[in-house]
Amino acid sequence: MTRLAACWILVLALAGALRFHDLGQRPLHADEATGARITGRALEGQGYRFDPTHYHGPVLHRLGQLASLAAGHRRWADMEITPLRAVTAGAGLLTVALPLFGVRRYGQPAMLFAALLLATSPMLVYYSRMFIHETLLALFGLLVFAQLSLRRHLWLIGLWAGLMWATKETFVISLAAWAAAAFACWLLLGKNRPHPRELLRRHGRDAALGLAVFLLVSIGFYTDGFRHGRGAWDAVHTYFVYHPTEGHEKPFAWYLQLLGLSETRGGLWWWTGAPLLLAILTAVRSLSPRSPNPATVRFLAIATLLHLLAYSVISYKTPWLMVLPLAHILLLAGLSVAFFPKRPALRVAAGLGLAGVIAWQLVQTVRSSFQFPTEARNRFAYVPTSPDIAGLTPWLEQLDAAQPDLPLQPILVVGSDYWPLPWYLRRYEQVGFYPEPPAEIDRMPLVFATGDLTEQLIATHVPVPRGLRDGLPITVWVRSDFWDASVQKSHD
């Protein structure tokens, strides 16, 4: 027992180190910056109003608000990224701990291996270190499965499902996949399947209580504590009016390629398909009459397949949408331990193979999250923010110090698609955002432009090209008096 406890502690310590180490290192992603801005408004007492046309649910922002308050931040200008990312890093760590709830039912080896896979998965680690919704969605989704594994207090499934809906509208994909998988497993029981009336007698009370909790939790979040009743309608209305950002359309097989096929980028070889192969092996072996836990394996296998199918049909695709489906895959892969061969030599070989899977995941995790977190050769760095943007704040401070008698404000941002720039300008009070250049732009001390403003500013400003996001540069136009003063000061 002591050895097993030590193993679990080591796995959780590894998961925590991978998720929390140097959490503020990576430049802020555009999606993180928009989420931080919504959190900042709530932090300043502006409340929360769910936008059904574009943004996701409120749970991430509310937890981010609590984390910021705990760190002593009260305003948008004071916020830092580490407390915000600690929310999702913590959710990722809790996800790794969830296989503990399945130990009695599925055994220590299977659950320990599943936890190791979750702990070292390069995709799960990378997105746990970002302030985005998907890691929370995966946590609440696996809590549903953990509750089913415990077979007690099943009404709590309503709580986890309610938190899923309040996190992101895509929870309906999981709900539909799980419902269809449960129905398929019920059919596969054949003559042994219980009658619906028997199921209702056993679980009707839990189902009714769970539904009430589900509605209370989800509506409570969307209405900002029942203060804005329209939020309940908007939570449903979003499925009809949501407008995804253009430019993320991918072919049907894109997710399968991401999860199962190898790829070489900039001399680095990436392959995360080993857990998928183990999951497929587990699903196939569940067809055997002697298979342990066949109902669980079949449920997970069917649910995983339906998740992948649903997300693949949708043309809008980003890699972080696979966080919850991948967690399903890793659980299935963990259950493959139950099919270890009995012959000692083969067991040793199989154990070494599984150790190799963990080691290779660790190599890719270190590469993606620590060595090359924002580079194009990183398979998981999707539209990353340029490292150049991280040096923006000290550079602006130098410009400001070069002309102490003149304010560096107002600052103008002209054009569109400028996120995460507002985060890096959050400490300046006079920042304006314009789709087109306004009048008297030539008098502004500083202008950030995503388009060409040469005609308007070349006579009065000096252009300084900087990186913003992968494939998207930005030009900073510095008024000549500030530029000349900063050059002179650097020579003194």
Side-chain angles (χ1 to χ4, degrees):
M1 182 63 72
T2 304
R3 291 180 181 178
L4 286 173
C7 287
W8 279 103
I9 291 171
L10 287 173
V11 170
L12 294 175
L14 175 62
L18 292 174
R19 283 157 178 80
F20 282 94
H21 174 68
D22 207 3
L23 201 52
Q25 167 203 29
R26 191 190 312 170
L28 209 72
H29 190 276
D31 284 17
E32 289 184 283
T34 56
R37 187 68 190 102
I38 295 170
T39 303
R41 291 193 183 105
L43 199 63
E44 293 175 344
Q46 299 178 38
Y48 175 83
R49 296 291 182 95
F50 172 64
D51 181 354
T53 64
H54 188 65
Y55 299 108
H56 307 304
V59 168
L60 178 70
H61 312 306
R62 283 308 188 195
L63 292 177
Q65 181 183 0
L66 292 175
S68 293
L69 288 171
H73 305 154
R74 299 293 187 274
R75 302 181 305 144
W76 161 247
D78 300 330
M79 290 174 67
E80 297 292 346
I81 190 53
T82 299
L84 298 180
R85 286 178 174 167
V87 170
T88 45
L93 179 58
L94 289 174
T95 300
V96 175
L98 289 182
L100 276 166
F101 291 102
V103 165
R104 282 191 176 182
R105 189 169 179 185
Y106 309 115
Q108 288 280 4
M111 292 296 95
L112 193 58
F113 183 53
L116 259 176
L117 288 169
L118 291 164
T120 59
S121 166
M123 182 182 288
L124 296 193
V125 172
Y126 190 85
Y127 298 123
S128 290
R129 295 171 60 87
M130 289 176 62
F131 185 62
I132 54 176
H133 300 75
E134 281 69 23
T135 300
L136 287 171
L137 190 71
L139 170 63
F140 300 138
L142 289 199
L143 276 166
V144 170
F145 182 73
Q147 204 70 55
L148 287 170
S149 299
L150 289 173
R151 297 183 178 180
R152 291 181 298 170
H153 307 300
L154 294 180
W155 62 270
L156 282 171
I157 291 173
L159 171 61
W160 312 133
L163 288 170
M164 286 183 73
W165 190 12
T167 299
K168 196 173 181 188
E169 69 286 343
T170 53
F171 104 102
V172 296
I173 294 176
S174 297
L175 195 65
W178 292 334
F183 181 68
C185 289
W186 180 76
L187 290 177
L188 289 171
L189 290 174
K191 295 180 180 179
N192 296 323
R193 59 176 175 253
H195 194 278
R197 284 196 297 270
E198 176 63 18
L199 291 174
L200 185 62
R201 185 187 67 79
R202 290 183 194 171
H203 306 298
R205 184 176 179 181
D206 278 326
L209 182 57
L211 179 61
V213 171
F214 168 77
L215 293 173
L216 184 68
V217 169
S218 54
I219 293 174
F221 271 103
Y222 276 108
T223 58
D224 194 17
F226 303 99
R227 287 179 289 185
H228 306 293
R230 182 175 173 81
W233 162 247
D234 285 337
V236 177
H237 194 216
T238 187
Y239 295 104
F240 304 95
V241 299
Y242 188 85
H243 299 301
T245 306
E246 295 181 358
H248 301 283
E249 294 75 19
K250 308 288 190 306
F252 177 87
W254 192 73
Y255 286 132
L256 186 59
Q257 294 169 353
L258 177 69
L259 296 174
L261 300 184
S262 66
E263 182 182 14
T264 301
R265 290 189 178 191
L268 297 177
W269 183 59
W270 303 89
W271 183 57
T272 54
L276 180 60
L277 292 177
L278 289 172
I280 293 172
L281 173 64
T282 306
V284 171
R285 291 294 299 270
S286 73
L287 301 176
S288 169
R290 298 180 180 178
S291 170
N293 303 303
T296 298
V297 173
R298 290 169 188 171
F299 173 80
L300 266 177
I302 296 170
T304 302
L305 182 62
L306 293 175
H307 271 88
L308 292 175
L309 182 61
Y311 279 109
S312 296
V313 167
I314 300 169
S315 61
Y316 178 93
K317 294 179 175 69
T318 60
W320 46 77
L321 289 174
M322 283 294 99
V323 169
L324 179 54
L326 176 59
H328 283 66
I329 291 171
L330 297 177
L331 284 180
L332 269 175
L335 292 170
S336 67
V337 171
F339 303 111
F340 254 38
K342 294 184 178 180
R343 293 176 59 181
L346 292 178
R347 289 180 71 86
V348 170
L352 290 174
L354 297 186
V357 171
I358 298 299
W360 179 237
Q361 284 205 150
L362 270 172
V363 168
Q364 295 178 98
T365 294
V366 171
R367 280 180 181 173
S368 57
S369 289
F370 302 104
Q371 292 181 315
F372 316 108
T374 60
E375 295 189 22
R377 54 180 164 168
N378 182 349
R379 191 176 200 181
F380 308 108
Y382 187 74
V383 197
T385 298
S386 169
D388 184 45
I389 203 73
L392 181 63
T393 300
W395 181 66
L396 293 180
E397 290 173 353
Q398 290 175 10
L399 284 176
D400 201 6
Q403 284 278 49
D405 298 329
L406 292 176
L408 191 61
Q409 306 181 68
I411 297 173
L412 266 57
V413 179
V414 180
S416 58
D417 209 17
Y418 45 74
W419 289 92
L421 189 57
W423 170 265
Y424 291 96
L425 299 177
R426 67 192 184 282
R427 292 193 170 92
Y428 294 90
E429 296 180 355
Q430 301 178 51
V431 182
F433 298 88
Y434 298 86
E436 300 293 337
E440 300 184 343
I441 189 174
D442 57 335
R443 298 175 57 184
M444 299 299 111
L446 209 61
V447 179
F448 291 80
T450 58
D452 185 10
L453 294 182
T454 303
E455 183 178 344
Q456 293 93 336
L457 295 176
I458 193 61
T460 56
H461 289 65
V462 175
V464 182
R466 296 192 77 99
L468 181 60
R469 298 202 307 273
D470 186 33
L472 181 64
I474 193 169
T475 302
V476 187
W477 293 88
V478 184
R479 202 171 65 200
S480 297
D481 54 340
F482 277 94
W483 179 260
D484 294 341
S486 91
V487 171
Q488 181 62 41
K489 190 168 184 177
S490 65
H491 289 163
D492 292 344

